[in-house]
Amino acid sequence: MAAGPQTTPDLLAASPLPRTQRAATTLRFRRVVVDRDGLSAAADLHRRCTIVVAPNGPAADLLATLVGRAFTADDTGLHLEWEEDGGRELVAFRPRGGAHVVLDVATGEDLSDGFRGPDGGLWLPDAYGIRPHRSPAPADGSPDVAIRLASVDQGVLWAAAQRVRAAEAHLDAVCARTGADREEAANAAPVRARRGRRNRTSPLATAAAELRQATAAWHDTAGTATIEEAEALRPWVEMLASLRGAASAMAAISAGQVDVDLRGPGALGELVGAIVTDPDAVRVPAVVRFPPFPLEESVSQLALDLILEAGAARQIIVVTDDPQVAARGRLEAHGQLASVVDLT
């Protein structure tokens, strides 16, 4: 079946969620069922990370594709149950020989019309205003932003961000007291008012100057990245900074085993491209085939650390046929940080 349309304005207008709520909605997959292309599998999914162990490489490749398509496509035999961040639970049921429908799990109400595209199929991403078909390096450059910010001293970076936010709050407070316009005040030139024998800068001009200085300091630290971009990507930035430090340490011990340049070829670069995407994509779980190709054990473990840590910011579903990855998943499951679904 052909991929769904990337943008469907009519479908967005017909969504069962208000536009502002759709924009803020984060989804968590609860259960996925695959019954097609010779595969039959069901998995209850962990809130952070689920490791699905397939019997062999080809099965893992196919399973990873089908699990992802349970959300991004409308293929018969792919069923998905998910939860919105407001608590509502929905299920997309796509039986053979029957209509594909979306139901409210609690009430049984048929919500399909809010998820149908012009062709009559269910296109779940469009109903939430989510772009499901993204290249590993989106045109908007968000992965590059995260990678660039990860190379900056994290203490300095976030202190600069905090300084800007504090200056903004101060300026807002002054505007509220004086009735000044926020945008005009931000660009206000220093004005001095004579009081007695001394010249003193007006509170509004002082607050505006503080904001300009804080903003300049931010760009000296973060380059062209905006604070909004940095804050949206902060979990990934901090994760990548931590990984970069670990990679550097390992590279010093075992030269050449770890690619410290996260944008370069190799396992870490591939995973950054697959997992660290724009903030819009962070709203939905990531499905990762791991390892994507044979890896040295040290690299594999470091990359797996990246995936498991990513689960704090975004639900991750790992599909693997690697016994070491499966064993690591079972260890994490003891701490309730992940679950393992063994299909072997």
Side-chain angles (χ1 to χ4, degrees), residues 157-203:
L157 179 69
W158 300 116
Q162 185 177 12
R163 180 184 172 191
V164 172
R165 291 309 191 199
E168 289 176 337
H170 182 207
L171 181 58
D172 287 340
V174 173
C175 287
R177 290 197 306 269
T178 63
D181 178 80
R182 168 71 165 75
E183 185 174 349
E184 291 180 2
N187 298 315
V191 177
R192 293 185 175 274
R194 177 170 293 278
R195 295 184 180 179
R197 296 184 177 180
R198 295 186 302 170
N199 288 337
R200 299 178 63 183
T201 304
S202 71

Side-chain angles (χ1 to χ4, degrees), residues 2-335:
Q6 296 213 13
T7 314
T8 312
D10 291 342
L11 178 59
L12 295 180
S15 170
L17 294 173
R19 181 173 298 276
T20 54
Q21 185 177 344
R22 287 202 311 274
T25 296
T26 298
L27 308 180
R28 183 177 72 85
F29 295 172
R30 294 175 57 88
R31 180 176 173 83
V32 62
V33 177
V34 174
D35 185 18
R36 62 172 293 124
D37 297 338
L39 281 179
S40 181
D44 292 318
L45 305 173
H46 190 275
R47 297 190 68 87
R48 287 175 56 117
C49 181
T50 302
I51 297 179
V52 181
V53 184
N56 53 58
D61 292 340
L62 179 58
L63 188 60
T65 298
L66 293 179
V67 169
R69 287 181 65 82
F71 179 72
T72 63
D74 189 34
D75 298 344
T76 296
L78 300 182
H79 316 295
L80 179 68
E81 182 177 334
W82 73 97
E83 179 182 350
E84 298 168 349
D85 53 10
R88 186 171 69 163
E89 297 177 16
L90 305 175
V91 60
F93 185 52
R94 305 181 179 101
R96 290 187 177 86
H100 296 187
V101 295
V102 172
L103 304 175
D104 186 306
V105 173
T107 66
E109 181 183 0
D110 189 333
L111 302 175
S112 305
D113 288 346
F115 292 88
R116 293 200 189 281
D119 61 355
L122 300 178
W123 300 113
L124 308 184
D126 287 340
Y128 292 102
I130 294 171
R131 296 161 293 173
H133 307 296
R134 305 284 291 178
S135 66
D140 58 19
S142 294
D144 285 340
V145 172
I147 291 167
R148 186 169 67 251
L149 294 177
S151 67
V152 177
D153 183 294
Q154 295 299 287
V156 173
L157 179 69
W158 300 116
Q162 185 177 12
R163 180 184 172 191
V164 172
R165 291 309 191 199
E168 289 176 337
H170 182 207
L171 181 58
D172 287 340
V174 173
C175 287
R177 290 197 306 269
T178 63
D181 178 80
R182 168 71 165 75
E183 185 174 349
E184 291 180 2
N187 298 315
V191 177
R192 293 185 175 274
R194 177 170 293 278
R195 295 184 180 179
R197 296 184 177 180
R198 295 186 302 170
N199 288 337
R200 299 178 63 183
T201 304
S202 71
L204 185 62
T206 298
E210 288 175 354
L211 179 56
R212 285 194 293 270
Q213 292 167 3
T215 302
W218 164 259
H219 287 298
D220 286 344
T221 302
T224 58
T226 66
I227 289 185
E228 289 75 18
E229 285 178 314
E231 289 176 339
L233 292 167
R234 183 165 182 169
W236 306 103
V237 172
E238 293 179 335
M239 177 179 62
L240 292 174
S242 175
L243 180 68
R244 182 178 289 275
S248 298
M250 185 175 288
I253 297 172
S254 183
Q257 287 189 347
V258 175
D259 180 10
V260 179
D261 183 358
L262 299 179
R263 289 171 296 181
L268 300 183
E270 292 289 334
L271 285 168
V272 168
I275 299 176
V276 182
T277 57
D278 60 282
D280 186 54
V282 176
R283 293 166 51 202
V284 296
V287 180
V288 180
R289 168 68 170 98
F290 186 83
F293 36 75
L295 301 174
E296 296 179 21
E297 183 177 355
S298 59
V299 176
S300 176
Q301 290 301 313
L302 188 59
L304 191 56
D305 286 341
L306 166 66
I307 293 174
L308 293 171
E309 191 172 349
R314 178 185 188 185
Q315 187 184 25
I316 307 292
I317 302 166
V318 178
V319 182
T320 187
D321 62 325
D322 189 319
Q324 290 184 341
V325 175
R328 173 68 180 278
R330 294 186 182 96
L331 287 176
E332 297 293 333
H334 285 299

